[in-house]
Amino acid sequence: MSRRAPRRRHRPFGLRTRLVLAFLLVAAVGCGTTAALTYRAARNAILEQAQDTAVSAFREQVQTLGVSLPIEADSLRDVLLHIARQGKPRQWRVYAEYGSVRVSSAERPTSTVITAELRSRAKASAHGSFQRVVKNGRPYLTIAVPAVFRAHTPATAIHRTGLVLYAVMELDEEEANVEAMVLAARDGALPALAIALIPALLAARSVLRPVRELRRAADSMGRGRLDTRILAKGSDELADLARTFNESAAALERSVVELQHAEARARRFASDVSHELRTPLAGMLAVTEVLDEDAAGLDSDTARAVRLISAETGKLAVLVEDLMEISRFDARAAELHVDEVDVADSVRKTLQHRHWTDPELVRTELPVGVRARLDPRRFDVVVANLVGNALRHGRPPVTVRLRAEGDWLVTEVADRGPGIAEEVLPHVFDRFYKADLARTRSAGSGLGLAITLENVRLHGGTVTAANRPDGGAVFTVRIPR
């Protein structure tokens, strides 16, 4: 019977998919890293340019102030409005703080954007300070510069009196430019990834081509074509793998050919020996039958020798017949001659022909009306071998059960013996297998169960051996009806 090759499961994340995903991942990481570094550098450049321009311009405006003490709020507001209009790169909102005095160019006298940290740094440094602040999701640049005034004293001098001017400028335009750069980088990354898919597919194809060839070659060898080879190109690791595969396949082919020749020779030898033995065995059997009839008139020692020769000749004849049957199976020359039969009647005839009709030896459970299409002669051999094996190695009574399970005919042969050892169960159908290695001979030929297995397989069925829970061995034959 030919075996169908198992269907390959579709793998959604096979090697090809993983290679493409890995290639795209590397491309995505590269694009992302480049975009992040570019964004960071561009953002710093844009913000620093606006920041440097604003800080420089504000310091220049504060240094050119000509306000004198004491401070008047109205005149200071005019100065702040003038400074706000001179803002670069765009207008500022300017605030002044002097003690408890708060003046600004805007409606509110002070701003919540100006932090305590900036105020502290402005008072500590004569050159002022600046800070970028995000308030309610909007970015700002805040600048603080202490003002210097000319006091009305007998000796005109420049004094730092504690008046600090603050400029607040929104960075919305700069942030918008940065966001535009991010969108441009993102929009450029997607096409880049799409373009990267093409070399990814090409690379995956070049890598997977030898892998697919190796898989096809392995499948071909699995179907028995041992002359399969792979065309090895290049000097990379995959080419080395292909060469190694070819070398292994060649060595395997040589080994299998040698084994096939040796097996063919062994089969031919067994078949030839069996055929050559049939003629002399037929004569020996005829002679032993005559000797058996006259054994009663011989002395005891001679009679014992005659009966021993007769028994051994019979065993040899059985062995030769079994060897010839096995050789026919090995040569695939065994054929089925099926007929529709009453299976229960066939089993009863098998038991009657072997004189296994004593209920103390063999019991039957044979329902009426179970019919099947099978080879009567080969089914007779199957039942006879299983019952004979149970009687030799188990204990009576042996039970033969017959039942139909849908499209299957099930035959069970169970005994009351000690059962089969667990280490022996996998080998019970092997040829000439001995469960007891110390036993050099057995009552049968050692091929009965092997012949049973071949006959059942020829019917397209199965035969299994197991131990019953309450003791004893049970052989189960399943044959299509």
Side-chain angles (χ1 to χ4, degrees):
M1 296 178 63
S2 61
R3 295 184 179 178
R4 296 181 59 186
R7 178 179 294 179
R8 297 186 185 89
R9 295 182 302 171
H10 175 68
R11 294 179 176 85
F13 292 99
L15 184 57
R16 179 188 181 91
T17 304
R18 293 200 297 269
L19 283 174
V20 173
L21 290 178
F23 197 99
L24 292 180
L25 179 61
V26 172
V29 171
C31 291
T33 303
T34 303
L37 294 176
T38 303
Y39 162 75
R40 181 178 177 182
R43 182 177 185 274
N44 291 338
I46 292 173
L47 294 179
E48 287 177 2
Q49 182 181 4
Q51 170 186 293
D52 293 344
T53 301
V55 170
S56 177
F58 187 64
R59 282 177 179 169
E60 182 179 351
Q61 291 293 326
V62 173
Q63 290 174 359
T64 59
L65 284 178
V67 179
S68 302
L69 295 177
I71 296 175
E72 296 181 0
D74 293 337
S75 61
L76 182 58
R77 177 177 174 79
D78 294 337
V79 172
L80 298 182
L81 288 171
H82 173 74
I83 295 175
R85 287 192 294 270
Q86 301 300 317
K88 295 179 182 180
R90 67 187 62 89
Q91 288 188 354
W92 306 316
R93 291 196 298 273
V94 184
Y95 301 88
E97 295 182 359
Y98 180 75
S100 61
V101 178
R102 301 289 186 271
V103 182
S104 73
S105 62
E107 296 179 358
R108 295 182 179 180
T110 187
S111 173
T112 57
V113 177
I114 301 173
T115 63
E117 179 184 0
L118 181 63
R119 289 187 174 95
S120 176
R121 285 158 53 182
K123 292 177 181 179
S125 173
H127 299 286
S129 183
F130 62 88
Q131 187 179 33
R132 286 201 294 264
V133 180
V134 178
K135 186 74 172 181
N136 297 327
R138 301 185 64 181
Y140 296 90
L141 174 65
T142 58
I143 310 169
V145 178
V148 178
F149 296 95
R150 293 184 180 277
H152 295 285
T153 59
T156 302
I158 297 177
H159 301 277
R160 182 182 172 197
T161 59
L163 175 63
V164 181
L165 273 69
Y166 299 91
V168 176
M169 184 180 72
E170 296 179 356
L171 297 176
D172 290 345
E173 292 185 12
E174 288 75 13
E175 195 68 25
N177 292 335
V178 172
E179 290 180 359
M181 292 185 61
V182 172
L183 292 176
R186 184 195 66 186
D187 295 340
L190 294 179
L193 288 178
I195 295 174
L197 182 61
I198 298 175
L201 292 174
L202 294 177
R205 181 181 178 183
S206 64
V207 171
L208 291 180
R209 184 185 297 111
V211 175
R212 287 194 295 267
E213 292 178 356
L214 182 62
R215 184 195 66 189
R216 287 194 291 267
D219 289 343
S220 179
M221 291 190 65
R223 295 187 181 97
R225 297 187 57 184
L226 300 181
D227 58 342
T228 304
R229 300 293 184 269
I230 302 175
L231 180 60
K233 297 180 180 179
S235 58
D236 56 7
E237 290 81 358
L238 291 174
D240 293 340
L241 178 61
R243 296 187 185 94
T244 303
F245 177 87
N246 291 338
E247 294 172 0
S248 301
L252 178 62
E253 184 179 14
R254 289 192 298 269
S255 300
V256 170
V257 169
E258 292 175 0
L259 289 174
Q260 288 175 343
H261 290 165
E263 185 178 5
R265 289 193 299 269
R267 289 174 179 173
R268 187 165 55 250
F269 175 78
S271 178
D272 293 344
V273 169
S274 300
H275 281 286
E276 293 298 327
L277 287 176
R278 291 188 73 181
T279 301
L281 275 175
M284 292 172 64
L285 287 173
V287 172
T288 54
E289 288 179 2
V290 174
L291 292 177
D292 280 340
E293 293 177 359
D294 297 336
L298 302 175
D299 60 88
S300 60
D301 292 339
T302 305
R304 189 181 306 110
V306 167
R307 293 189 180 95
L308 178 61
I309 292 174
S310 177
E312 294 301 325
T313 304
K315 291 180 182 179
L316 183 58
V318 172
L319 176 59
V320 169
E321 291 296 329
D322 288 346
L323 283 173
M324 293 186 65
E325 183 73 5
I326 282 291
S327 66
R328 282 192 286 270
F329 283 117
D330 291 342
R332 294 178 173 83
E335 295 180 353
L336 281 178
H337 299 283
V338 296
D339 191 11
E340 185 172 349
V341 299
D342 186 320
V343 185
D345 187 55
S346 296
V347 172
R348 279 191 289 267
K349 289 180 180 179
T350 298
L351 300 179
Q352 289 171 1
H353 291 165
R354 272 77 176 181
H355 306 289
W356 293 331
T357 55
D358 186 354
E360 297 297 326
L361 292 178
V362 180
R363 299 176 182 177
T364 59
E365 297 178 10
L366 307 175
V368 179
V370 179
R371 303 186 66 83
R373 288 185 58 81
L374 45 79
D375 188 324
R377 184 185 71 83
R378 296 190 181 278
F379 186 70
D380 173 79
V381 173
V382 169
V383 175
N385 285 347
L386 293 179
V387 174
N389 181 77
L391 290 173
R392 282 192 300 271
H393 302 292
R395 281 199 297 266
V398 174
T399 304
V400 181
R401 296 185 180 90
L402 185 68
R403 66 178 183 274
E405 293 183 357
D407 295 333
W408 292 88
L409 173 68
V410 181
T411 307
E412 290 184 357
V413 177
D415 61 60
R416 299 288 178 177
I420 305 173
E422 293 296 329
E423 65 273 11
V424 176
L425 275 174
H427 306 285
V428 292
F429 296 103
D430 293 351
R431 301 175 184 181
F432 298 110
Y433 180 79
K434 294 184 177 64
D436 185 3
L437 297 180
R439 187 184 63 192
T440 58
R441 299 205 53 195
S442 61
S445 66
L447 294 172
L449 292 181
I451 292 175
T452 298
L453 176 63
E454 296 295 342
N455 278 312
V456 173
R457 283 179 176 173
L458 200 61
H459 282 85
T462 60
V463 56
T464 57
N467 290 314
R468 300 194 310 168
D470 55 347
V474 57
F475 287 80
T476 305
V477 178
R478 297 173 59 87
I479 297 177
R481 296 179 64 185

